Amino acid sequence: MPLDEIPEKNKRYDDEGILLVDNGFIPNDYDKPFAVSSRPILNGILEKGYKIANNTEYFPYFGGKKAFGRVLIQKENKA
């Protein structure tokens, strides 16, 4: 789904400018790393042209407060 079609309540940016998406929404037109919960990983997103961008758990901060851990993924480069 294009990033601009994802409902605003399901996307936000943390203090570092990393995009976080919720409820299984995955932007198909966003090339930078973005954070998801483990659910899309378990549902097979890595088999659909995405890869894990960082092998460690990512903890986003909002207003300096630590949020739940996420996984950073991004679209694979089809060069």
Side-chain angles (χ1 to χ4, degrees), residues 46-67:
L46 300 179
E47 297 167 1
K48 297 176 181 167
Y50 292 86
K51 65 180 181 178
I52 293 179
N54 186 350
N55 286 332
T56 60
E57 190 173 15
Y58 177 74
F59 291 96
Y61 285 81
F62 296 96
K65 294 185 179 183
K66 187 176 182 179

Side-chain angles (χ1 to χ4, degrees), residues 5 16-17 25 29 33 44-45 50 52-53 56 63 69-71 78:
E5 291 182 18
E16 294 182 25
F25 288 103
D29 60 348
I45 193 67
Y50 292 86
I52 293 179
T56 60
R70 304 289 181 111
V71 178
K78 302 287 183 184

Side-chain angles (χ1 to χ4, degrees), residues 3-52:
L3 181 61
D4 62 350
E5 291 182 18
I6 296 175
E8 290 298 321
K9 68 179 184 175
N10 293 312
K11 65 181 177 183
R12 58 189 169 153
Y13 294 87
D14 70 3
D15 292 350
E16 294 182 25
I18 301 291
L19 173 67
L20 281 79
V21 290
D22 292 321
N23 296 328
F25 288 103
I26 303 294
N28 60 9
D29 60 348
Y30 192 79
D31 293 327
K32 297 177 185 177
F34 58 96
V36 297
S37 67
S38 60
R39 175 78 53 198
I41 306 296
L42 296 173
N43 287 340
I45 193 67
L46 300 179
E47 297 167 1
K48 297 176 181 167
Y50 292 86
K51 65 180 181 178
I52 293 179

